[in-house]
Amino acid sequence: MVQGAFEQFELVASRWPNFAKGQYSLGVMLASSGRQREAVERFAAAVKADPTYVEPQVQMAETLRAMGRFQDALVAFDRAIKLDPRVADARLGAAMAPGRSRRYGDARDRLSEGMKLFPSDPNSHRRWPVCLNSQVLQGSGLRAECLRWLPP
């Protein structure tokens, strides 16, 4: 059944390369199947087809981060933030990517900025504990600030 879905999405993506949603959807399927390099190509195709479409930019960044390409991920997260500054996933990803490169000051500043942008959004606050337990906070001095912003 999954193979049939892949075939259908690949058919849509090949017939209509400028259909951003089709490229994006295929990218999501590829990423969830561990085919990260191909997923990044599809997310890039979706962005090319519609440069204002934020979701493929965020997913491309997440996939690049999963591949260990932290600098490329940060560039993609920053493009997503530029398109829509209120995308919590992009803010969190942009905060975590520099930490993986041991740029803790940058990670701390980005995380702090994101927490200030989303003080009353319960969905965004559910993501911040990921940072509390992540490598980003080691040596960054941000744990107390994260705890202050989390809901009681």
Side-chain angles (χ1 to χ4, degrees):
M1 181 151 156
V2 172
Q3 185 59 37
F6 268 119
E7 290 170 359
Q8 291 299 313
F9 278 103
E10 286 172 340
L11 178 65
V12 168
S14 65
R15 282 195 180 163
W16 297 284
N18 292 325
F19 179 46
K21 184 72 172 175
Q23 298 291 343
Y24 169 71
S25 297
L26 180 55
V28 170
M29 290 186 70
L30 291 165
S32 68
S33 297
R35 295 166 60 183
Q36 295 172 323
R37 184 187 55 76
E38 295 169 88
V40 168
E41 291 171 2
R42 293 304 175 168
F43 295 139
V47 169
K48 181 179 178 186
D50 182 356
T52 65
Y53 191 12
V54 175
E55 287 84 355
Q57 196 67 253
V58 173
Q59 288 301 315
M60 179 169 34
E62 293 286 358
T63 305
L64 289 165
R65 188 178 62 175
M67 295 169 70
R69 294 174 52 189
F70 303 117
Q71 188 57 43
D72 293 332
L74 188 54
V75 169
F77 280 127
D78 284 342
R79 281 194 301 250
I81 291 167
K82 190 173 184 178
L83 288 171
D84 185 352
R86 303 216 35 100
V87 177
D89 288 338
R91 291 280 178 182
L92 178 60
M96 293 179 73
R100 299 289 189 210
S101 302
R102 300 193 183 278
R103 294 184 5 240
Y104 298 120
D106 189 21
R108 181 190 60 238
D109 294 345
R110 287 171 174 272
L111 182 58
S112 180
E113 180 182 334
M115 288 188 300
K116 288 174 186 172
L117 279 172
F118 305 105
S120 62
D121 179 0
N123 291 326
S124 67
H125 286 289
R126 288 188 194 111
R127 294 175 179 89
W128 301 123
V130 172
C131 279
L132 286 174
N133 296 317
S134 77
Q135 183 178 346
V136 169
L137 295 179
Q138 294 177 6
S140 73
L142 188 60
R143 185 172 180 79
E145 188 173 347
C146 284
L147 290 171
R148 183 171 56 98
W149 284 94
L150 290 173

